[in-house]
Every structure is written in structure tokens, then in C-alpha cells.
Amino acid sequence: TQLLEQSPQFLSIQEGENLTVYCNSSSVFSSLQWYRQEPGEGPVLLVTVVTGGEVKKLKRLTFQFGDARKDSSLHITAAQPGDTGLYLCAGAHTGNQFYFGTGTSLTVIP
Amino acid sequence: NAGVTQTPKFRVLKTGQSMTLLCAQDMNHEYMYWYRQDPGMGLRLIHYSVGEGTTAKGEVPDGYNVSRLKKQNFLLGLESAAPSQTSVYFCASSYSGGLATIYEQYFGPGTRLTVT
């Protein structure tokens, strides 16, 4: 049983398009993180959100934590081929144990 | 700094064989983790450690054992490998952050294990 479900599982878009990835759970998390993973490598942290309703922007990436701290979204504006990768959300109930989502594999076609 | 390193990078085992995966970090982090990654399931926590000499079970601990004899090393053992343990294994470490409650995990490059 996955605590965190991500949608869509796969996404293939043209360069320049916008997209949104969702991370949903029935559990409340004290913090939620988004990671990006490239083939053959480990995940790399993009952002951490801790407050319900919080919005963080990282260049063309916008992250939002749901008001109830049960869900999150990642929006990418004007996607580029360099955005290609596996996007993972991870939630923590306490500080030291994370539950990862099922992942969204993004391909941006030039 | 090398960050988090894992050895070996690839391994093929026959059912019933044993092996140990080694994770090393040079960032003086207190916390270390072992995950497995399978298609469509993200990463699942096997075991973790909050300090030297301490370990705890994660989501999927069965069939695995761990040891943290030195702060910088975290070993994952498979005593009797099974085909269901075919996976990519990732080690991660994080700082405790003192009063902070948010932990960024730094991941190694992974070990691809196949059990036939």
C-alpha cells in the first residue's frame, strides 16, 4: 500500500508546454519534499514545503503544499528537454522517516 | 567531498547466496537510510539509522539486515537472496539539523542487484 500516489505516472510533452504533477495522500505530513532523479543516478532534492498552503518557486518550477498538508503539486512552465527525469514526492510524519510517492516519469521532446 | 558512495554498482546473485552492500558518506551525517526502488513503486525504506550503533526497521525490512558500526558507514546484508529482492538499492544520508525538523537526504548512485 502506497501512502503517496502520484499522477500521472508517465508524461510526454513537447518543449515549451506547461505541465502539472500531483502527489496525493490520505495522511497528513509534517513536511513534503520533491526530488528529481535522472537515469542511473540517485534522487536529488528540489524543494521542501512545511506549511499548509505554502507555495515555493524555483525558476520555472512551482511547488504547492495543500492546505491540509495531505497533497502537493509541481507545476513546470515552458518545459525544456533538461527537465526530463523521474519526479518523486516524499512525505514525512516525523523528521527522520520519509515515504516516497510512486513517481512521475517526464519526457520533454525537443 | 565524495558525498555518498555505494559499492558495488552492479551484482548478480543466485537464489540463496548472500552479499553485503556498502554505503559510505563523508558529510558527517547522523542519519543513514537504505531504500529499494522498483518500477511503479517509487522508493521504499528498508532500514534506517539515526546514529552510530543504532538501526531501525522501515517499510520493507524482511530479508535484510543492517549494521552501523561506524558513523560514516551503513551496511545492508542479504543472508539468503531471493528473486523478489531484484531491485535497485539506494543509500542516503541526512543531517539531524539540531532544532530543525526538516531533513534533506543525499543519495548515492545506487546498486543494481539481480537475483536469478
Side-chain angles (χ1 to χ4, degrees):
Chain A
T1 305
Q2 292 284 147
L3 275 183
L4 284 162
E5 296 287 343
Q6 288 185 238
S7 62
Q9 186 175 0
F10 298 97
L11 190 56
S12 181
I13 62 171
Q14 295 289 330
E15 181 176 0
E17 292 183 345
N18 301 332
L19 66 114
T20 301
V21 175
Y22 299 93
C23 173
N24 295 301
S25 176
S26 57
S27 295
V28 175
F29 294 102
S30 61
S31 65
L32 193 137
Q33 298 180 332
W34 283 92
Y35 290 79
R36 190 177 87 179
Q37 183 180 19
E38 299 193 13
E41 299 181 7
V44 175
L45 181 70
L46 295 173
V47 77
T48 300
V49 286
V50 295
T51 305
E54 182 177 3
V55 176
K56 281 192 174 180
K57 292 191 176 183
L58 188 67
K59 296 184 180 178
R60 294 176 294 101
L61 279 61
T62 301
F63 304 86
Q64 183 162 9
F65 202 10
D67 291 341
R69 289 185 289 126
K70 293 182 179 181
D71 53 79
S72 181
S73 64
L74 158 60
H75 182 78
I76 301 179
T77 303
Q80 299 177 0
D83 295 327
T84 293
L86 179 68
Y87 289 82
L88 295 159
C89 62
H93 295 135
T94 61
N96 56 19
Q97 186 168 350
F98 282 87
Y99 295 90
F100 277 79
T102 47
T104 294
S105 180
L106 171 66
T107 301
V108 181
I109 303 166
Chain B
N1 288 348
V4 179
T5 58
Q6 293 181 233
T7 52
K9 296 199 75 172
F10 303 93
R11 187 70 187 268
V12 179
L13 288 179
K14 295 186 186 303
T15 297
Q17 288 184 320
S18 64
M19 78 162 293
T20 300
L21 305 184
L22 171 63
C23 175
Q25 54 95 2
D26 61 2
M27 297 174 282
N28 201 36
H29 286 168
E30 288 291 332
Y31 297 166
M32 296 187 75
Y33 311 79
W34 275 107
Y35 293 91
R36 59 176 290 172
Q37 186 172 34
D38 302 292
M41 301 194 72
L43 286 98
R44 291 181 292 169
L45 183 64
I46 304 171
H47 287 279
Y48 64 100
S49 168
V50 300
E52 181 179 324
T54 69
T55 63
K57 294 180 180 180
E59 294 176 75
V60 290
D62 294 342
Y64 305 94
N65 57 76
V66 290
S67 64
R68 182 104 181 265
L69 299 179
K70 294 183 179 180
K71 185 177 183 178
Q72 64 267 34
N73 296 336
F74 195 28
L75 278 63
L76 177 71
L78 287 73
E79 291 186 346
S80 180
S84 61
Q85 293 177 305
T86 293
S87 187
V88 181
Y89 292 85
F90 286 97
C91 176
S93 70
S94 69
Y95 52 86
S96 64
L99 293 176
T101 57
I102 305 164
Y103 303 91
E104 174 180 359
Q105 296 181 75
Y106 294 81
F107 284 83
T111 294
R112 186 174 294 274
L113 174 66
T114 302
V115 183
T116 62

